Amino acid sequence: MSKKIITTMNKLAAGVAVGVTAMAAGYTGSVVAADAEWAGFVENATYVRDGVGLSKFRNTAQAEFSKSIKTEGWSNVSINGTLRATYDGVYDLNDGEFGKDATEDYLGANWHGEDTSTVILAPGTPFPCDNDPTKCNSLKDYMDQDENEARFPEFNDQLDFIRELYISADKQLDNGDILNLSFGKQQVVWGKTDLFRVLDVINPVDYSRHNIYDELEDIRIPQWMLTAEWRMGPNEIFDDSNLSFIWNIDQFRPSNLGTCGQPYRILDAGCFFSSELAVGPFAGTPIIHDVVDYDWSLENTQIGAKWEGVYGDATFSVNALHYRQQLPSIHARSAGAPLPDGIFDIHFPRVNLLGGSIDYYSMDMDAVWRLETSYTQGEEQPRDTNGFKETDMFRYVIGFDKNITIPELGTRSAFLVSTQLFGEHILDHEVDMPNEADNWIATLLFKGFYVNNRLSPQIIIAHDFGAEATAIAPSVEYLIDDHWKVNVGFNIKEGGDKKFPWSVSGPSDQTEPLARFLNGPIGVANQEDEFQMSVRYSF
């Protein structure tokens, strides 16, 4: 890490500490700062892709700290932070496959073979800001990283090396309730699902890190937010209840889908957006004309509220959020006839979400049932012949978690079985939408514990019913001691074999490039089978 970066981090931490201390002093006139508590890890993750070679050589250093400040008027006042630095050496060690010099025969060549006699789009340009200023200017701060920004992903204009940095404080109210305020760069988690999100949509996510497979806490993009939580405690009806509000004051950022030339780009969108027309009067023109820029303003901030309660063995929430769609919507550039020239602008429309969740512990089954639902208004879905359509969406996940003992497998420790069924329904579906009107994805986690819980084999399976695609990820984790941990595994994909003509004159529900949505994030990655190993030292 450079001296300039270290100096910047030190100044930032010192500035926050001074500011927080001054704020606390302003409230009470009396402040005592405790020593900061630190923890963290360094890790190497090395992935090798079948037929490609090295696909990741990620080296990560992460540090977490918490510094308590004692005051007379507020309690539990603390500064909390998580700092992360990453260097991915794949761009130096396998620059023939990934990076600014990567090449592909045609758009989509990395995920399916196809007769290209009707091709209308040229191959995507890897890292357009290194190779093609025209496409770089068209993308304008969206999936336009250069190779060095992919090599060191946290060190950018948004200071993403700050994973979290916020102050939190409690205020005891006269009636015994507690008001908690938190302000700073945060990850705010709604929901408890894995792989796919239903309610957990406050922070955008970085799919370029490892598609959908990394833990959400590692791929959420932190945002500057103010949160307030009113902890009301038990009453005559509920065993516990609280009401929370969130105000995301950060400038809008969409999810990162991965730039062309990176090992992971969900749905191959990065190469799609950095492509150009191959035939016709506009041949050589980038298919993306512009990305709509949402400058910071109060109107462009995002707000939400959640009421959460406990009743017996059930924990529930009611959630509402006003935010911008984090996945891109492509609009035909020209008005008039549908797709007059095949060139698009990218928009991120406003969305209203209303949803809820319930976790129920069944004593008879000694298991937890989970349900999350969301209904959204304002989302936009792509269309082959008309660019896009605004539609209401309904999503849900049903989850089941249980610990079971299986002595036949050679351990007294319980195995964890966790399964989920995700449903997504487009309520105003059109025949030329590449996404199915109704689709389901099922996941299964089976995890065991041996050698005093230090050896943990597991398998994760995810199946996309619409795409007829499956991901299988077996792995073994071994805790060598209190500091060292090794994880070895595979990530294997099957299915996603649907082939489509490239011509826009084909059947409305079977054209490329939008038809790749039918293969889904698992099917499109069916050429990305990998062996994976990570070694972590925690301190």
Side-chain angles (χ1 to χ4, degrees), residues 453-507:
N453 295 337
R454 291 167 54 198
L455 181 67
S456 179
Q458 72 172 33
I459 185 168
I460 298 175
I461 302 174
H463 180 73
D464 186 329
F465 288 89
E468 299 177 1
T470 304
I472 304 172
S475 66
V476 177
E477 181 178 272
Y478 180 55
L479 299 175
I480 299 174
D481 56 29
D482 292 340
H483 299 288
W484 289 97
K485 178 174 69 175
V486 178
N487 190 295
V488 177
F490 294 88
N491 192 302
I492 302 167
K493 296 89 173 174
E494 298 289 343
D497 297 324
K498 298 179 182 179
K499 307 294 193 292
F500 310 98
W502 286 88
S503 173
V504 293
S505 62

Side-chain angles (χ1 to χ4, degrees), residues 107 112 114-121 277-279 339 384-385 499-515:
L107 184 64
H112 72 70
E114 185 56 71
D115 175 11
T116 59
S117 61
T118 58
V119 68
I120 59 173
L121 295 175
L277 293 175
V279 296
L339 302 186
D384 280 321
T385 59
K499 307 294 193 292
F500 310 98
W502 286 88
S503 173
V504 293
S505 62
S508 62
D509 61 347
Q510 291 186 351
T511 58
E512 265 283 38
L514 294 185

